[in-house]
Amino acid sequence: VFGWAFAGKVMEIEKDHLWIYGDYSGTVFNDAGGGFLHQTAWVCSGSGHNVKGVYKGAGDCVATDADGDKALAVWKCEGGPRCDGDFQWTGGTGKFKGLRGNNIFNGGSVGTTNQGYSLFRGEWALPE
């Protein structure tokens, strides 16, 4: 689970069409209560359009653990009010070097606030 706060801009293009861009930052906690990416700090950039309540966007994420090692991912999603999508691990630093994997997620705001959460499921692998 990724609990996040959005900091960015929302620009009205025309009636019922918004352009949204900025950063989603927060912390990830996994179901196991430890291990892979538990209690990591995340910053995800994002840009997309919301047309008549349906958002379509994409971006990148950097997850940083307590040791300062970073895991990198790219994401995309579509939907409303919550966005269904996927993300792929694309590498990292330190213990996350060579990280790969495919994942799905569902994310969205809590009501009309700039805060929300995303639920992740998927796989990951490191080179041996």
Side-chain angles (χ1 to χ4, degrees):
V1 176
F2 173 33
W4 47 260
F6 174 74
K9 303 256 184 195
V10 178
M11 178 185 297
E12 185 174 34
I13 304 298
E14 61 185 339
K15 183 177 175 9
D16 296 324
H17 182 179
L18 303 173
W19 179 40
I20 303 166
Y21 58 97
D23 292 328
Y24 303 83
S25 57
T27 306
V28 163
F29 298 91
N30 66 33
D31 289 343
F36 184 68
L37 295 180
H38 184 65
Q39 294 182 340
T40 51
W42 286 52
V43 177
C44 296
S45 67
S47 176
H49 293 263
N50 185 315
V51 179
K52 296 183 179 179
V54 177
Y55 177 77
K56 185 175 184 177
D60 300 278
C61 293
V62 177
T64 306
D65 72 4
D67 297 327
D69 294 333
K70 296 177 178 9
L72 310 174
V74 295
W75 66 270
K76 67 182 182 315
C77 72
E78 184 172 352
R82 295 193 53 85
C83 207
D84 291 310
D86 60 72
F87 71 94
Q88 291 75 44
W89 296 114
T90 60
T93 66
K95 69 179 78 64
F96 302 121
K97 187 174 182 175
L99 178 63
R100 295 287 183 255
N102 295 303
N103 306 269
I104 59 172
F105 76 96
N106 174 278
S109 298
V110 175
T112 59
T113 72
N114 71 330
Q115 298 176 26
Y117 65 95
S118 299
L119 304 173
F120 300 157
R121 277 194 333 228
E123 62 186 24
W124 60 274
L126 291 167
E128 294 186 26

